[in-house]
């Protein structure tokens, strides 16, 4: 019978009795595509029952099971997965997987391939630190299109193996929180992609290196890869210890081309670093980069569609200066603008909103303006409400203004 996507995450129950009942119902079901039951401890008997379900079910596409105590018992589930040909999205984040269990996963993925199953669309293995002991085994499996390996303890030694795995077809790679990966790991990874030997620019399109400490040397490695044909659409170098020197290297490598999104959040770039990268992407996140008016002026002249400037207090302190300098020629393509937590205060809020109200040709395509966390008075009698209403009305009701504290 038809079953809606099953979402059984806590506080919903998923005990041994529930596992038996739901597994039985899913074995011959042809309509349920998702089983989401993370956050529940699974004993051996429950794993065995779910493994049987996986062997027999032909409709599930997305699977998420277990909690951080799953560990070696995941091997039982993987025995069932080895005979399943329908699942294309597997969430194993923070499941305490052992090296042996991860090797069993690699074996299961290889067996599925031999049965004609498609490669995984999405494989989430974040927060399983023993993956470093099973990378070589996972190399034998078909590369998923989306691979998440956040906070897995990856370091410089793992760059080459990771690159060889991703070279097989990974389009999106998320390595957030692997603080020991560093520039050496990134260099090994990029070298192993063997750019120029496969599809033009390789498969990789989205790369997140947040908190991976790649620094300016990592920026140099990326610049070299761009020159060799790396064809990224999105790049995140948040909190990566990049300075203006790294920005300039990247800007030279990307000259004449633009990413769809670049995030440099939480790097100490200042105005000069932000100016260097202003033309490198359609969407820019320069939050917490110590940007001031000169950096903002450079961004204003570019055809940016999305700009995030969260926590840039120099902009709050100089709002009168840069607001008066804005002209109707600026920000012509901008749709989403975030200046939250910049210390605008009541006066800065009024100054910016009135500028936009009085100049409808400025930011004419703006759809979302985020000004939250700026200590703006949102009490019932505050003038801010009238300022909000007047701005939204001046934009034909198309603008969503987010500013209230609650």
């Amino acid at each position: 019978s038809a079953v809606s996507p099953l979402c059984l995450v806590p506080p919903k129950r998923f005990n041994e009795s529930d596992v038996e009942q739901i597994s039985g119902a899913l074995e011959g079901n042809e309509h349920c595509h998702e089983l989401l039951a993370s956050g529940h401890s699974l004993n051996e008997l429950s794993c065995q029952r779910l493994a049987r379900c996986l062997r027999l079910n032909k409709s599930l596409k997305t699977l998420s099971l277990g909690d951080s105590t799953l560990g070696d018992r995941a091997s039982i589930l993987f025995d069932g997965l080895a005979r399943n040909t329908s699942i294309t999205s597997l969430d194993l984040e923070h499941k305490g997987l052992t090296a042996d269990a991860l090797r069993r996963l690699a074996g299961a993925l290889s067996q599925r391939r031999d049965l004609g199953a498609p490669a995984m669309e999405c494989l989430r293995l974040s927060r399983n630190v023993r993956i470093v002991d099973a990378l070589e085994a996972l190399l034998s499996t078909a590369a998923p299109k989306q691979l998440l390996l956040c906070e897995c303890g990856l370091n410089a030694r793992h760059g080459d193996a990771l690159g060889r795995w991703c070279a097989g077809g990974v389009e999106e790679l998320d390595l957030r929180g692997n603080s020991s990966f560093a520039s050496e790991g990134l260099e090994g990874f990029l070298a192993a992609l063997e750019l120029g030997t496969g599809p033009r620019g390789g498969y990789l399109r989205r790369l997140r290196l947040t908190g991976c400490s790649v620094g300016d040397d990592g920026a140099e490695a990326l610049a070299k890869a761009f020159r060799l044909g790396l064809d990224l659409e999105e790049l995140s170098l948040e909190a990566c210890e990049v300075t203006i020197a790294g920005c300039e290297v990247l800007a030279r490598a990307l000259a004449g081309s633009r990413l769809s999104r670049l995030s440099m959040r939480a790097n100490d770039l200042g105005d000069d670093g932000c100016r260097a990268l202003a033309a490198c992407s359609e969407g820019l996140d320069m939050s917490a980069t110590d940007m001031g008016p000169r950096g903002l002026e450079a961004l204003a002249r570019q055809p940016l569609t999305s700009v995030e400037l969260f926590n840039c207090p120099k902009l709050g302190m100089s709002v009168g200066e840069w607001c008066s300098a804005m002209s109707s020629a600026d920000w012509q393509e901008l749709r989403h603008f975030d200046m939250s937590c910049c210390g605008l205060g009541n006066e800065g809020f009024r100054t910016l909103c009135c500028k936009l109200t009085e100049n409808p040709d400025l930011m004419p395509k703006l759809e979302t303006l985020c000004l939250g966390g700026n200590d703006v008075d949102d009490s019932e009698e505050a003038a801010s409400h009238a300022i909000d209403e007047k701005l939204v009305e001046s934009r034909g009701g198309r603008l969503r203004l987010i500013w209230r504290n609650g």
Side-chain angles (χ1 to χ4, degrees), residues 221-234:
L222 283 165
K224 179 180 178 181
F226 282 127
R227 289 191 291 269
L228 289 173
L230 180 65
D231 192 18
L232 289 182
E233 297 170 1
E234 299 181 12

Side-chain angles (χ1 to χ4, degrees), residues 63-345:
L63 181 67
S64 179
L65 293 170
D67 65 4
S68 61
T69 67
L70 186 59
D72 262 332
R73 293 191 299 280
S75 297
I76 302 172
L77 296 174
F78 299 153
D79 288 343
L81 179 66
R83 305 296 299 174
N84 178 283
T85 59
S86 64
I87 291 172
T88 56
S89 179
L90 184 59
D91 179 6
L92 294 168
E93 180 173 351
H94 196 34
K95 299 298 186 284
L97 300 181
T98 65
D100 286 341
L102 285 159
R103 294 187 188 101
R104 293 282 284 275
L105 171 62
L109 294 176
S110 296
Q111 290 179 59
R112 295 178 81 246
R113 180 181 57 193
D114 295 342
L115 293 173
M120 287 286 167
E121 293 285 331
C122 178
L123 181 58
R124 299 175 180 270
L125 292 170
S126 298
R127 301 170 70 191
N128 289 291
V129 296
R130 298 306 300 275
I131 197 168
V132 298
D133 300 316
L135 265 181
E136 290 296 332
L138 289 164
L139 280 174
S140 65
T141 69
K145 288 186 179 180
Q146 183 182 24
L147 179 60
L148 290 86
L149 298 172
C150 310
E151 298 179 40
C152 282
L154 296 169
N155 60 42
R157 298 193 310 273
H158 305 119
D160 176 74
L162 181 58
R164 285 183 283 139
W165 190 13
C166 291
V170 172
E171 298 177 7
E172 179 175 346
L173 178 63
D174 193 340
L175 296 178
R176 286 174 295 168
N178 289 287
S179 58
S180 296
F181 196 63
S183 60
E184 294 86 351
L186 181 58
E187 289 166 7
F189 168 77
L190 293 169
L193 290 180
E194 297 184 343
L195 297 168
T197 63
R200 186 179 180 276
Y203 295 99
L204 192 63
R205 295 294 176 265
R206 293 171 292 282
L207 177 60
R208 299 189 71 176
L209 294 165
T210 301
C212 286
S213 306
V214 301
D216 290 338
D217 288 340
E220 177 67 54
L222 283 165
K224 179 180 178 181
F226 282 127
R227 289 191 291 269
L228 289 173
L230 180 65
D231 192 18
L232 289 182
E233 297 170 1
E234 299 181 12
L235 173 63
S236 174
L237 290 170
E238 297 179 13
C240 271
E241 303 170 18
V242 179
T243 71
I244 182 176
C247 294
E248 291 172 344
V249 166
L250 283 173
R252 287 194 293 270
L254 288 168
S257 62
R258 298 173 77 210
L259 302 172
S260 61
R261 187 175 190 276
L262 172 63
S263 179
M264 301 298 295
R265 179 182 291 235
N267 290 289
D268 189 11
L269 307 182
D271 281 337
D272 289 337
C274 295
R275 287 165 65 90
L277 294 172
C280 292
S281 181
E282 294 178 12
L284 277 175
D285 186 347
M286 293 295 184
S287 302
T289 56
D290 198 36
M291 177 192 283
R294 289 195 309 116
L296 188 67
E297 179 186 9
L299 299 189
R301 294 194 294 265
Q302 299 299 326
L304 293 159
T305 60
S306 176
V307 174
E308 295 175 62
L309 301 175
F310 174 89
N311 192 22
C312 288
K314 285 184 178 179
L315 295 177
M317 292 185 285
S318 58
V319 60
E321 173 188 344
W322 55 261
C323 258
S324 62
M326 284 196 299
S327 74
S328 59
D330 295 336
W331 305 108
Q332 286 299 293
E333 300 300 321
L334 193 65
R335 297 181 183 276
H336 306 286
F337 193 31
D338 186 345
M339 198 174 279
S340 302
C341 298
C342 285
L344 292 175

